[in-house]
Amino acid sequence: MTFSVLKRSVPFALAAAAFLAGSAAQAASFDGPWTVIIVTQAGNCDAAYSFPLQISGGRIVSTGGATINGRISGGGGVNVAISSGASSGRASGRLAGYSGSGRWSGTLNGARCSGRWEAHR
């Protein structure tokens, strides 16, 4: 499978999608750089995207021009909303240790798509 590296704002992420509630100290254990891969399973979007994200204080920090609203819970729960221009999406799932996974859905350049995501650091 070929992965496209998204060099501009990420239209969804984990994102991936507000993150689930949890203690700030536990959520901070996920702080640092992460690589996220979103895989399209339904819709007319590229097969996959790979992009970097940063988590700081349990919050996802945009590394591009995307608007990201979300948090990591102390237990690793993920629920995030991302938008960039006319593209937007939501993602949910879970991080554990140095990896994570979940589901996403959204609209990218007018195409409605959905699939799964994986993250690692």
Side-chain angles (χ1 to χ4, degrees):
M1 177 181 295
T2 302
F3 295 104
S4 299
V5 176
L6 192 60
K7 295 182 181 179
R8 56 184 167 82
S9 303
V10 179
F12 7 88
L14 316 174
F19 283 87
L20 304 175
S23 80
Q26 289 173 317
S29 70
F30 298 106
D31 285 2
W34 287 80
T35 299
V36 177
I37 297 170
I38 61 170
V39 178
T40 300
Q41 295 176 306
N44 190 25
C45 294
D46 288 346
Y49 301 92
S50 176
F51 52 90
L53 287 178
Q54 182 76 22
I55 298 175
S56 179
R59 295 183 73 65
I60 292 181
V61 179
S62 177
T63 58
T67 300
I68 299 176
N69 292 307
R71 295 191 58 77
I72 305 295
S73 75
V78 175
N79 187 359
V80 64
I82 298 177
S83 64
S84 177
S87 297
S88 64
R90 299 191 72 76
S92 61
R94 183 156 308 280
L95 298 178
Y98 294 94
S99 64
S101 62
R103 308 287 304 158
W104 69 270
S105 64
T107 303
L108 176 59
N109 298 322
R112 296 192 56 77
C113 302
S114 62
R116 64 183 173 83
W117 62 265
E118 299 172 7
H120 67 275
R121 58 176 166 172

